[in-house]
Amino acid sequence: MTDLAALAQSFGLNAEEYARIPAILGREPTLTELGIFSVMWSEHCSYKSSRVHLRTLPTTAPWVIHGPGENAGVVDIGEGLAAVFKMESHNHPSFIEPYQGAATGVGGILRDVFTMGARPIANLNALRFGRPENPVTKRVVDGVVRGIGGYGNCVGVPTVGGEVNFHAAYDGNPLVNAMTVGIAPRDRIFLSAAAGIGNPVVYVGSKTGRDGIHGATMASAEFSADAEEKRPTVQVGDPFTEKLLIEACLELMQTDAIVAIQDMGAAGLTSSSVEMAGRGGVGIDLDLDRVPQRETGMSAYEMMLSESQERMLMVLRPDREDVARRIFEKWELDFSVVGHLTDTGRIVVRHGGRIEADIPLAPLADQAPLYRRPFTEPAKPAPLGAVDDPIGIGPALQQLIGCPDLCSRAWIWDQYDATVGGQTVKRPGAADAAIVRVEGTARALALTTDCTPRYCAADPETGGAQAVAEAWRNITATGATPLAVTDNLNFGNPEKPAIMGQIVAALRGMAEACRALDFPVVSGNVSLYNETEGAAILPTPAIGGLGVIENAAHAVGIALSPGLSLVLVGETRGHLGQSLWLREIGGREAGAPPPVDLAAERRCGDFVRAQILRGAVASCHDVADGGLLVAVAEMAMAGGCGASLLPGPAEIAPHAWWFGEDQARYVLAVADAEPILAASASAGVPARRIGRAEGSDLTLPDGATISVRTLAAEHGRFFPAWMDA
């Protein structure tokens, strides 16, 4: 093996991939050229294992303005406005350096959104951690939460929602998926395709350092025992500079100066310049001597691959260069013309009077690896069968409500500013989806992140469909109309047929659910090789959902109020396979996950939304992890109000009725149950009265009572006790 071939292998390229490079160039590559190829052909940037399967996802609808392929997805939300949103992962960096890994994940996704001309109005996240008893987990949780809060709070964008799971499969590879949503005028969306031969290419923002070099490559490989040694590949964020960059970019976007714009995310100056020129079908000539640098003696290789944060690349109209310069100097940000567009179709990189790279752009994209990796279809798990109740309904509820996967997340939420900006209508925990008003209008967005990884591990196809359906359900439960999703596909090593089978099956389930629910995928991210020492995470196709409600005042939360009747909408069969009850009370993860009937999801959800929008529903909560009794308990704790519950049907065992995780279900709190029950019968939607909100206790059908205050104390105990220990 030659020295260059060995170096290419260390950069993540296999022998066949490396062999393509001299064939494209007609010679051996320089170090800088090898670096450019390695990051652009990394899994993180090229999606070489997943691209062929991602094409099966539905991505269009009348309200979709821009789908996958741009920095973020864009959907029409009415009144001449568009919502711009995306979710991305920062998994590997967050294990190595939790605070900076999570913080820069937030910074990067913010840039993806305001790059398109949108002012960010909300952040969300989806977090997966290892076992609480693993000594590493506490350090990672603490750093990740502080990093998310520290960046989002400082930059002034509220963190309004998210989810957290714990499982041994994430012990050596936590997942940190960050989502940002912004608002832009529908007719002022900025794209990344460069145009205009001779137009100046401008670098703005922070200076370039040596942090984050080969971050994209590191994110495309499994972890081994030397994970800590990869700390230099983690970027360092500065939220105060990001805030200045947001304001400067949005101010410039009020002019006609910008031809194209791209943030410097994964692979930094390399990906931004290559993607802008490539999408525009032009060439680009860069002079790295003009790149603002915070360290001395940086090489062309280091500058092209650095992932220093808070940087953008723009193509400007030449007669507007001075206008742009004045704006960025006013905001005390670096501004430098670092190159120009050419008609060569090549990227040329100059440094110190030498050409360090000269690469044709078309083959860099067209000849990028695209694999149809072999895969094995996941085996369908056997049904669970009958399971006895070992402890009873009341004790099981108290144990479930305090377990790490269901306990209060207040310790986390309290570190996030959920109300900065003054437009948050429903804060974390108040509703099934966060509600954020669109400033200057009556309407609001409903936002959520969802996935149930244990379902995906047992049956990836069902789990993929369920993740989409739950996001749709959580938005619907507020009264909002679901519009579109962004996804973050987190899996293990795709070179293993079993893992590739998980990916293919999960995407199949997602696609089916998106089509059935008119809920297209408009943006997303793929994070593979999430393994440590050969052990993979649970398959985790996280879904970020967005919906709109025309009047924010009509959105409902989950809190109970005295005197309301409780109505369960949807069919209950008592499905305990892969349920939290089975894991926490029965001590095992077994059986098939609950089936997902997409027609029933649509029918029940459309019915519930219609009842909310006609003012018949005071509060609503979808039934998910923990089943029906956990949903009622969460409503009771949110409102500080008790409830008296009626027995379930005789043909279903009580523990299956109360803790089964059947899908397509909602609990409605209504002033009058009879009209709801009559309407549901007419619509062919199963519904039944299950109790009444009253008093300060949760009264079970067997007469046992649990005070809501006791439940709340149990619910709130885990995080403070764990973190203070």
Side-chain angles (χ1 to χ4, degrees):
M1 183 182 293
T2 67
D3 290 345
L4 274 176
L7 189 60
Q9 188 175 50
S10 73
F11 287 176
L13 296 174
N14 63 34
E16 180 185 338
E17 290 167 347
Y18 172 71
R20 297 184 192 183
I21 298 173
I24 290 171
L25 296 176
R27 55 176 169 78
E28 290 292 304
T30 66
L31 174 63
T32 302
E33 289 170 335
L34 182 59
I36 290 171
F37 274 101
S38 69
V39 293
M40 293 309 299
W41 286 3
S42 69
E43 191 74 59
H44 190 78
C45 291
S46 73
Y47 296 168
K48 56 191 174 186
S49 298
S50 58
R51 229 161 55 232
V52 66
H53 301 288
L54 293 174
R55 294 168 183 159
T56 64
L57 294 172
T59 59
T60 60
W63 51 90
V64 173
I65 298 172
H66 291 290
E70 282 298 333
N71 285 295
V74 186
V75 294
D76 191 337
I77 59 170
E79 298 193 33
L81 297 172
V84 180
F85 68 113
K86 189 181 183 183
M87 181 159 55
E88 280 204 344
S89 60
H90 237 219
N91 302 335
H92 284 41
S94 297
F95 181 61
I96 297 168
E97 175 46 67
Y99 183 94
Q100 290 295 349
T104 53
V106 174
I109 196 64
L110 282 164
R111 288 192 299 280
D112 277 338
V113 167
F114 74 75
T115 292
M116 299 194 70
R119 177 171 292 281
I121 64 164
N123 290 328
L124 298 91
N125 50 73
L127 311 176
R128 321 286 170 182
F129 300 113
R131 296 163 297 156
E133 57 269 25
N134 181 341
V136 174
T137 302
K138 185 188 292 189
R139 174 185 67 85
V140 174
V141 171
D142 175 64
V144 164
V145 171
R146 285 190 297 108
I148 291 170
Y151 205 100
N153 296 353
C154 290
V155 85
V157 178
T159 301
V160 299
E163 56 174 346
V164 182
N165 293 142
F166 293 87
H167 194 281
Y170 304 107
D171 273 353
N173 200 130
L175 302 184
V176 176
N177 297 170
M179 175 176 167
T180 293
V181 182
I183 300 295
R186 189 189 188 285
D187 59 354
R188 293 288 289 170
I189 303 299
F190 289 80
L191 305 179
S192 60
I197 305 306
N199 277 349
V201 176
V202 177
Y203 171 120
V204 300
S206 290
K207 289 179 169 59
T208 294
R210 290 188 170 94
D211 54 317
I213 293 173
H214 266 297
T217 305
M218 181 267 290
S220 305
E222 294 181 30
F223 274 150
S224 57
D226 65 350
E228 285 292 313
E229 297 173 14
K230 297 182 179 180
R231 193 177 298 269
T233 62
V234 178
Q235 310 93 326
V236 178
D238 180 354
F240 300 104
T241 299
E242 181 101 338
K243 174 62 174 173
L244 300 178
L245 190 59
I246 291 173
E247 299 305 329
C249 288
L250 292 178
E251 182 175 338
L252 183 60
M253 287 166 171
Q254 298 304 307
T255 74
D256 60 352
I258 298 175
V259 176
I261 182 170
Q262 178 83 21
D263 84 293
M264 293 192 216
L269 189 54
T270 289
S271 63
S272 56
S273 57
V274 167
E275 289 172 4
M276 287 177 76
R279 287 171 181 166
V282 297
I284 189 166
D285 196 305
L286 298 176
D287 182 355
L288 300 188
D289 294 338
R290 298 182 179 183
V291 170
Q293 299 162 55
R294 67 167 183 260
E295 300 183 44
T296 59
M298 290 189 72
S299 67
Y301 167 83
E302 290 172 324
M303 280 187 276
M304 288 302 291
L305 270 65
S306 168
E307 293 184 8
S308 294
Q309 297 291 285
E310 294 84 42
R311 303 179 301 157
M312 311 283 278
L313 200 64
M314 300 179 178
V315 175
L316 299 180
R317 287 179 48 180
D319 58 339
R320 293 293 186 269
E321 185 182 315
D322 288 342
V323 172
R325 185 186 301 275
R326 284 195 296 271
I327 289 173
F328 281 89
E329 287 178 349
K330 181 185 78 171
W331 289 100
E332 299 182 345
L333 295 166
D334 279 296
F335 179 100
S336 179
V337 178
V338 296
H340 61 276
L341 299 184
T342 70
D343 61 0
T344 65
R346 305 176 76 86
I347 178 170
V348 177
V349 178
R350 307 173 192 274
H351 181 50
R354 296 176 52 192
I355 293 179
E356 296 283 352
D358 185 352
I359 304 172
L361 286 166
L364 189 60
D366 299 343
Q367 295 182 37
L370 177 62
Y371 293 117
R372 290 172 172 81
R373 298 197 185 276
F375 64 89
T376 54
E377 278 289 339
K380 294 288 185 181
L384 181 64
V387 182
D388 292 333
D389 180 3
I391 63 174
I393 304 302
L397 174 62
Q398 293 188 68
Q399 189 170 324
L400 278 170
I401 211 73
C403 77
D405 270 11
L406 286 176
C407 70
S408 169
R409 272 67 175 126
W411 180 89
I412 296 175
W413 297 333
D414 288 349
Q415 297 184 57
Y416 303 156
D417 190 336
T419 60
V420 61
Q423 303 304 313
T424 305
V425 177
K426 299 290 185 187
R427 297 180 54 164
D432 279 352
I435 303 294
V436 181
R437 185 182 289 105
V438 178
E439 191 170 9
T441 75
R443 67 187 52 218
L445 300 181
L447 310 169
T448 185
T449 60
D450 293 288
C451 184
T452 310
R454 65 183 187 279
Y455 292 175
C456 298
D459 185 336
E461 183 171 356
T462 296
Q466 191 273 341
V468 172
E470 187 173 358
W472 190 88
R473 202 160 58 235
N474 279 328
I475 291 168
T476 291
T478 68
T481 300
L483 292 181
V485 307
T486 181
D487 60 42
N488 207 142
L489 308 177
N490 307 273
F491 292 87
N493 183 345
E495 297 169 47
K496 299 177 179 178
I499 299 294
M500 197 65 223
Q502 292 176 344
I503 297 169
V504 173
L507 283 167
R508 192 163 59 232
M510 288 169 55
E512 184 182 2
C514 288
R515 281 191 291 268
L517 300 174
D518 286 333
F519 206 28
V521 178
V522 297
S523 61
N525 173 242
V526 178
S527 175
L528 305 182
Y529 295 95
N530 287 290
E531 300 196 4
T532 298
E533 298 292 326
I537 61 164
L538 301 183
T540 311
I543 300 295
L546 178 145
V548 67
I549 186 166
E550 291 192 6
N551 191 328
H554 295 161
V556 300
I558 67 171
L560 284 187
S561 300
L564 298 174
S565 291
L566 300 181
V567 174
L568 172 63
V569 173
E571 185 177 9
T572 299
R573 296 180 178 177
H575 190 100
L576 290 171
Q578 298 300 330
S579 67
L580 280 183
W581 180 91
L582 186 67
R583 190 180 82 189
E584 299 295 324
I585 309 303
R588 59 196 176 110
E589 297 181 19
V596 177
D597 182 335
L598 293 167
E601 288 283 0
R602 187 66 185 257
R603 191 164 53 249
C604 292
D606 288 348
F607 172 79
V608 166
R609 189 185 314 105
Q611 299 307 309
I612 293 172
L613 293 180
R614 75 176 185 87
V617 178
S619 57
C620 176
H621 194 7
D622 90 305
V623 181
D625 277 353
L628 175 57
L629 190 55
V630 166
V632 172
E634 289 172 342
M635 297 175 80
M637 290 185 292
C641 172
S644 299
L645 299 176
L646 300 171
E651 64 271 17
I652 300 177
H655 62 292
W657 169 259
W658 291 113
F659 299 117
E661 295 181 5
D662 305 86
Q663 300 293 290
R665 295 187 298 162
Y666 303 78
V667 177
L668 312 184
V670 300
D672 186 354
E674 292 307 321
I676 296 286
L677 295 172
S680 69
S682 297
V685 170
R688 64 183 289 153
R689 186 187 288 105
I690 60 167
R692 182 174 178 81
E694 58 190 7
S696 58
D697 296 335
L698 200 60
T699 302
L700 304 178
D702 61 4
T705 62
I706 309 169
S707 79
V708 173
R709 182 174 296 180
T710 297
L711 278 176
E714 191 65 39
H715 189 52
R717 180 173 295 125
F718 171 74
F719 270 105
W722 182 46
M723 283 297 173
D724 291 345

